[in-house]
Amino acid sequence: MIIRLLRGQVQAGQEGNLVDRLRALGSDRPTPAGFVGATVGFRRASDSLGFLALSTWESVESISAAASGRPDGALPGQSAGELEGITIDLFEVADGPPLPVDAVAGGALGIIWARVAPHAEAAAHDMIRAVGPEVGAAGVAGLHVGRRVIGDHTELLVVASWRDRVALHEFAQRRANGTFDPAFLRLMTEWRFETYDCLAPGSPSLPAPGPAVLLADSKARFVDASVGIEALLGVPAELVLRQTLVDLTPPERRAEAARLWAEFLATGAAAGTFEILRPDGTRLEVAFRAEADCPRPGIHASVLSPADAAPDPRAVRALVAAAFPESEAVAA
């Protein structure tokens, strides 16, 4: 079996066209020989909407036949010329059942790509299998593992199909050592994590990501991050958990950040602009509004937006409630 990933993006404002096009993908064509199943997910960036078309096939030959002889080309019905940044990757299924059609409709995909350290692949597969019962109890319908050899190294692809984004987020919050086991990450020389939301059956459009909100304890350690944070930072909110304000501050401004945090706790509120250090090393000037003891004593909320964007006029507490609609702690 082969896992095929087609990624791309469209500019802001074109989301509706993309959703309509992907909904109709192949609907007017017969099912290609060797096709097993597919699902489509979306992720938002600051100025675009990214998408992933993930499909499984019986063989590379069946993909080539469906794509006019090119397994790395767009399949019939895909208007690749209208999209941007198209990349296509193939992985051999190494473990887990093939993904059926609409396996996670209305749910979420969590995808880990990793380059395995020499002689560490067997241990990595063992750890993936061992975590299966834990993630299954947390809301994963299935773990699907692919591998490929590029030159002198091996790459792994792990796809977790979650029943919904809330289940993924709650799992990340509960893990004492972080979303991913540090021992697993030490087996990798390079890795990245992406999440994609899948359309619910009958949904006419993608749900809005909501406000970008960080919740921190009094030591400036992030205890929660809303889905909207990803558009600013470029990584899923789950990777921000347990980081601190220092982690998101350029080195030369960390002393200033510590001072401003102490002043904020003393006064109970703050607003202004601040330069954020993104996980990929780039920097972004953001506008922020912060309120202490929000949504509850000892937890402090910061609402972020690009510095050149129009601010949301709602109160901080209202934005926190909108950012975490499923959270009982916020609602309380």
Side-chain angles (χ1 to χ4, degrees):
M1 289 286 183
I2 303 296
I3 299 175
R4 183 180 190 271
L5 281 76
L6 185 150
R7 292 184 178 89
Q9 63 265 349
V10 295
Q11 292 302 306
Q14 300 298 314
E15 294 95 332
N17 293 336
L18 174 62
V19 171
D20 291 343
R21 187 157 63 246
L22 291 176
R23 279 188 180 283
L25 182 61
S27 61
D28 58 345
R29 302 171 186 271
T31 301
F35 173 78
V36 177
T39 191
V40 176
F42 304 86
R43 66 192 300 260
R44 293 185 182 273
S46 57
D47 58 354
S48 64
L49 178 73
F51 75 91
L52 167 73
L54 187 155
S55 56
T56 48
W57 300 76
E58 292 180 356
S59 64
V60 173
E61 290 74 21
S62 59
I63 301 174
S64 296
S68 302
R70 290 186 54 200
D72 60 343
L75 297 182
Q78 293 174 336
S79 304
E82 301 175 21
L83 306 172
E84 298 179 0
I86 293 292
T87 61
I88 298 174
D89 296 290
L90 304 179
F91 292 83
E92 181 183 3
V93 174
D95 205 356
L99 286 168
V101 176
D102 296 328
V104 288
L109 294 172
I111 298 181
I112 307 170
W113 169 88
R115 182 171 293 176
V116 186
H119 314 298
E121 184 178 358
H125 283 290
D126 287 343
M127 294 185 74
I128 294 169
R129 296 187 191 101
V131 81
E134 180 185 0
V135 296
V140 166
L143 280 174
H144 317 279
V145 183
R147 69 181 298 273
R148 66 180 180 182
V149 177
I150 304 292
D152 59 354
H153 63 267
T154 299
E155 296 178 358
L156 292 183
L157 179 80
V158 184
V159 181
S161 51
W162 291 84
R163 66 169 183 264
D164 54 47
R165 183 59 181 264
V166 173
L168 165 58
H169 198 69
E170 290 178 344
F171 168 78
Q173 285 184 301
R174 287 195 301 268
R175 301 203 91 199
N177 292 329
T179 306
F180 303 110
D181 189 336
F184 176 77
L185 298 182
R186 285 195 291 270
L187 300 176
M188 310 302 155
T189 61
E190 185 181 352
W191 66 278
R192 63 175 178 266
F193 174 58
E194 297 177 344
T195 60
Y196 291 86
D197 294 307
C198 302
L199 284 175
S203 175
S205 62
L206 292 170
V213 178
L214 293 172
L215 300 182
D217 62 19
S218 293
K219 294 182 179 180
R221 179 174 178 265
F222 299 126
V223 298
D224 212 342
S226 72
V227 174
I229 281 293
E230 182 172 3
L232 282 177
L233 300 188
V235 298
E238 289 73 23
L239 293 187
V240 181
L241 299 175
R242 300 173 190 83
Q243 290 194 341
T244 68
L245 179 61
V246 168
D247 295 317
L248 299 184
T249 303
E252 71 276 9
R253 300 195 64 180
R254 287 173 180 171
E256 177 189 4
R259 176 181 59 80
L260 292 174
W261 181 260
E263 292 177 357
F264 159 62
L265 293 182
T267 60
T273 60
F274 196 78
E275 188 177 49
I276 277 187
L277 178 66
R278 287 166 158 168
D280 65 359
T282 61
R283 301 185 182 202
L284 175 70
E285 191 76 13
V286 299
F288 73 90
R289 285 188 293 151
E291 184 174 330
D293 297 319
C294 172
R296 61 187 185 276
I299 301 298
H300 319 292
S302 297
V303 178
L304 309 180
S305 62
D308 57 356
D312 193 311
R314 289 176 289 177
V316 170
R317 193 168 293 272
L319 289 169
V320 171
F324 302 97
E326 305 290 339
S327 172
E328 295 181 4
V330 169

